[in-house]
Amino acid sequence: MTGPTRQRDEREHRQWTDDARTGESESTDADERTEDGDEIDVDDLDEEDLVRTADGELMHEPTGLIVEEDHVDRGPEWRAFNHSERQSKSRVGAPVTETMHDKGLTTTIDWKDKDAYGRSLSSEKRSQMHRLRKWQERIRTKDAGERNLQFALSEIDRMASALGVPRSVREVASVIYRRALKEDLIRGRSIEGVATATLYAACRKEGIPRSLEEISEVSRVERKEIGRTYRYVSQELGLEMKPVDPKQYVPRFSSELDLSEEVKSKANEIIETTAEQGLLSGKSPTGFAAAAIYAASLLCNEKKTQREVADVAQVTEVTIRNRYQEQIEAMGIHG
């Protein structure tokens, strides 16, 4: 029984292998034929019709023919299903950042006096780690230039945190400061002044404007010096700054005054209408936005006093009254 059974199994295996090869050949021929039955020569394909898919395959778009299918997975060899698991399995450090003088590439020694298992260190080890930490901080900066850069970037980070601006603004401000340092624009000016000016420029560049009054409140430099340094840096570096749109101030001011969406919409309408008539030219955008919010609050029966609006916008009541009169006249509103 063993001999005939083995022969039958071998015949069935050969038949199955032949069928598989025939099917593979037919599928290959089918893949290399068009809908009309014409064979496709890969060398004759137009390169403009070749598209690289998300999986890394090179496909001929008109026919759907896969020309190259070698796919290299450049991701990690491990899998993670949540953020904490991904963090624990990751073997890389923090991304490179411009907000640190060494771009975050040097090592740091944590201030927690604990080992890798979370156990407290002995007094002898704590003393040793204190000395290592102190020398680590010293060797991170090799000269006075790097120490000044470190101080400037820390000032930018401090002021940005106080203003509540996103991290993208801090990155842009750090890049602008590095450019100013490279062009030797810091010479003869205070580090704090240039750092504050670059942060103000970054806020305008990212479309998150902050007034000079707000910037000067968190800075150690006077408003006049910030404005002077900003104009000098932007001119020397060729920063293309568009005029600030007063509508960018409306959401923030309205939120602080606890006004409704109707008031915000009406204030934006007032700004658009009056700006088209040329009233914005030469005017402070914060004062213009504040006056529009004041006018909109009156029209929507959510009255706010000029004093309340002026405190939020950090302008004077006289400015609001002057802009308010101009705006209601341009809108054709009387009384």
Side-chain angles (χ1 to χ4, degrees), residues 42-321:
V42 178
D43 297 331
D44 294 339
L45 297 178
D46 190 355
E47 293 184 0
E48 295 182 355
D49 295 333
L50 299 179
V51 178
R52 182 73 65 178
T53 65
D55 296 331
E57 297 176 337
L58 189 64
M59 182 183 70
H60 185 243
E61 195 170 25
T63 61
L65 174 66
I66 303 299
V67 181
E68 293 180 6
E69 56 182 355
D70 295 335
H71 177 57
V72 179
D73 186 3
R74 303 186 183 278
E77 79 283 0
W78 44 263
R79 293 191 302 168
F81 301 98
N82 53 50
H83 179 70
S84 60
E85 190 176 354
R86 190 177 298 109
Q87 290 292 101
S88 63
K89 290 186 176 182
S90 178
R91 296 188 295 273
V92 298
V96 175
T97 175
E98 297 287 343
T99 58
M100 300 178 69
H101 75 284
D102 52 15
K103 299 186 179 180
L105 296 177
T106 58
T107 57
T108 57
I109 301 177
D110 197 3
W111 288 92
K112 299 177 183 176
D113 289 326
K114 295 183 179 181
D115 60 10
Y117 299 99
R119 296 174 299 198
S120 298
L121 300 177
S122 63
S123 59
E124 183 181 352
K125 284 289 184 182
R126 281 200 300 270
S127 177
Q128 181 184 3
M129 294 306 297
H130 177 72
R131 290 195 302 271
L132 290 175
R133 197 179 294 119
K134 181 169 61 177
W135 280 104
Q136 170 70 10
E137 288 297 319
R138 288 176 179 176
I139 64 176
R140 286 184 68 183
T141 53
K142 62 182 180 180
D143 53 24
E146 283 197 359
R147 282 194 295 273
N148 292 340
L149 178 61
Q150 183 182 26
F151 173 70
L153 296 180
S154 66
E155 277 293 289
I156 291 174
D157 191 63
R158 179 189 64 80
M159 292 184 291
S161 298
L163 290 170
V165 295
R167 187 163 189 84
S168 61
V169 175
R170 309 181 192 190
E171 293 282 348
V172 173
S174 301
V175 171
I176 296 174
Y177 186 88
R178 287 176 184 271
R179 287 183 57 193
L181 184 62
K182 186 178 179 181
E183 297 292 332
D184 199 23
L185 304 181
I186 316 295
R187 189 182 300 275
R189 290 171 179 81
S190 67
I191 296 175
E192 295 95 333
V194 179
T196 310
T198 55
L199 179 60
Y200 176 66
C203 289
R204 291 189 59 174
K205 211 167 183 60
E206 289 295 294
I208 309 174
R210 293 292 187 271
S211 64
L212 281 174
E213 288 77 10
E214 292 175 292
I215 295 286
S216 61
E217 280 188 357
V218 300
S219 176
R220 298 188 177 97
V221 185
E222 294 182 357
R223 179 186 182 280
K224 187 180 294 184
E225 183 181 347
I226 297 172
R228 185 168 57 244
T229 307
Y230 163 73
R231 287 190 293 270
Y232 172 74
V233 171
S234 61
Q235 181 179 1
E236 292 295 323
L237 296 181
L239 303 178
E240 296 181 359
M241 295 295 180
K242 298 179 180 178
V244 179
D245 188 355
K247 290 191 293 184
Q248 293 179 339
Y249 291 103
V250 171
R252 184 157 55 91
F253 292 168
S254 300
S255 298
E256 293 183 22
L257 291 167
D258 196 22
L259 295 171
S260 65
E261 290 295 327
E262 182 184 3
V263 176
K264 297 179 186 178
S265 178
K266 191 65 177 178
N268 287 328
E269 180 186 343
I270 292 172
I271 291 173
E272 288 180 1
T273 304
T274 54
E276 288 176 357
Q277 300 182 26
L279 294 183
L280 180 57
S281 179
K283 305 294 193 306
S284 169
T286 52
F288 205 82
I293 291 173
Y294 174 69
S297 68
L298 295 180
L299 294 173
C300 298
N301 294 323
E302 297 184 31
K303 180 175 173 55
K304 295 292 180 180
T305 64
Q306 294 179 3
R307 180 74 267 168
E308 291 176 310
V309 180
D311 289 340
V312 169
Q314 294 184 335
V315 295
T316 63
E317 295 179 55
V318 177
T319 300
I320 292 181
R321 278 197 293 272

